[in-house]
Amino acid sequence: MKITFLGTGTSQGIPIIGSSHPVCLSKNPKDKRLRVSIMVEWDKFKYVIDCGPDFRQQMLRENCSKIDGVLFTHEHSDHVAGLDDIRALCYRHGGMNIYAHKRVIKSIKKRFDYIFETENKYPGAPEVVINIIENRPFLLSGMEVIPISVDHHFVQVFGFRFNDFVYLTDVKSVPTEEMEKLKKVKVLVVNALRITPHISHFNLEEALNFIEQVNPEKAYLTHISHLLGFHDEVEKQLPNNVFLAYDGLQITV
Ligand SMILES: [Zn+2]
Ligand SMILES: [Zn+2]
């Protein structure tokens, strides 16, 4: 299985528009972070997790001309706002499978009402095929995917386990019963927003404590804000098996 980090930034991305913060001005490409998303590939299949406002740029950068579906973690803008840009893929390959909690589907329907229009639908609008995710395993092109339900302050978020790989973003706490699903994971991706605490996201310390608890072989941090610091400096301070993800990073699990 191949994982590509399409974006590793928090909701505003890095740099933030108009910011003169040193991290926003950094010349290091690893300090430039699009909104958070990954691509997961196995056999001939490609799925993306989340479809934020940078989706178009991410697909162009990765030279991607086909994906088999989009899994959504939750309904926040930085995770869904790029949905209109699946059009280019729909024109080539037909309706796009989208997978989400029913609450998230409801929110997407409100934001992108024209996509779900049944009468007089504008012919240029994207076509989607809705797949509701509940908190139980489901099959994706032959792969068993285990949803992991976590808390993002008062918003429920789905993380996903694909074999030995787990992707969790926008987590503030993980219910005890969901921790079971993280047993023996080899590679864990989890969010770490910044150094100081935040109401709805793990800060660095919380993310590192969580990683210690899960005890994967390797962990990658994502959904990073400029307030975490410079990529190269933060990475030097991390435990040996923990890395900062960066845009374009590919790993094999
Ligand atoms: Zn987010
Ligand atoms: Zn969020």
Side-chain angles (χ1 to χ4, degrees):
M1 200 166 49
K2 187 169 92 177
I3 311 298
T4 305
F5 289 86
L6 299 174
T8 57
T10 187
S11 56
Q12 296 192 79
I14 309 179
I16 290 180
I17 296 172
S19 169
S20 53
H21 187 282
V23 173
C24 292
L25 300 178
S26 166
K27 296 274 185 286
N28 183 352
K30 290 181 179 169
D31 285 320
K32 310 224 174 290
R33 301 183 188 274
L34 298 178
R35 264 59 71 88
V36 80
S37 175
I38 59 166
M39 184 150 63
V40 186
E41 294 174 63
W42 66 92
D43 301 333
K44 58 183 192 322
F45 306 110
K46 287 185 187 192
Y47 286 86
V48 300
I49 302 185
D50 291 327
C51 185
D54 300 318
F55 176 76
R56 174 178 175 275
Q57 205 178 330
Q58 291 163 337
M59 291 297 98
L60 292 172
R61 189 189 70 210
E62 299 303 327
N63 206 6
C64 184
S65 57
K66 184 174 191 261
I67 57 175
D68 295 282
V70 181
L71 283 71
F72 288 102
T73 57
H74 65 302
E75 63 273 46
H76 285 162
S77 258
D78 52 326
H79 300 259
V80 304
L83 186 62
D84 186 72
D85 282 322
I86 63 167
R87 270 186 297 157
L89 304 172
C90 297
Y91 295 160
R92 286 161 172 265
H93 309 291
M96 178 72 71
N97 274 297
I98 61 169
Y99 301 80
H101 189 287
K102 62 175 186 309
R103 181 199 78 241
V104 176
I105 296 288
K106 200 171 148 196
S107 166
I108 291 173
K109 281 185 174 174
K110 211 157 128 190
R111 272 174 199 263
F112 299 96
D113 56 351
Y114 60 96
I115 295 181
F116 300 90
E117 204 65 72
T118 48
E119 279 167 45
N120 298 323
K121 182 176 169 177
Y122 182 67
E127 283 291 334
V128 297
V129 180
I130 297 171
N131 299 268
I132 304 278
I133 303 177
E134 289 173 36
N135 194 8
R136 65 168 96 104
F138 60 97
L139 275 181
L140 213 53
S141 304
M143 165 85 73
E144 186 189 52
V145 181
I146 303 172
I148 301 157
S149 186
V150 300
D151 299 320
H152 179 30
H153 193 34
F154 55 78
V155 177
Q156 180 273 347
V157 173
F158 272 139
F160 300 103
R161 179 169 186 154
F162 301 75
N163 295 332
D164 294 329
F165 172 73
V166 168
Y167 182 75
L168 293 175
T169 188
D170 294 60
V171 182
K172 179 63 181 180
S173 64
V174 179
T176 320
E177 65 274 18
E178 298 296 294
M179 288 298 288
E180 279 292 301
K181 298 175 181 172
L182 301 172
K183 276 193 175 151
K184 293 190 177 151
V185 58
K186 282 194 183 144
V187 178
L188 170 69
V189 178
V190 68
N191 55 294
L193 186 73
R194 62 187 193 191
I195 306 297
T196 55
H198 186 273
I199 191 166
S200 58
H201 297 266
F202 277 162
N203 67 350
L204 181 60
E205 190 186 351
E206 289 165 322
L208 292 177
N209 287 340
F210 176 71
I211 292 166
E212 219 178 280
Q213 230 184 317
V214 174
N215 195 26
E217 284 175 16
K218 276 185 185 179
Y220 292 85
L221 303 176
T222 193
H223 208 290
I224 292 165
S225 90
H226 62 298
L227 299 173
L228 188 65
F230 292 103
H231 178 98
D232 292 352
E233 287 179 17
V234 176
E235 196 164 65
K236 268 188 235 156
Q237 302 159 20
L238 298 176
N240 285 338
N241 65 333
V242 183
F243 307 88
L244 283 193
Y246 55 88
D247 290 21
L249 170 67
Q250 292 191 329
I251 56 173
T252 310
V253 185

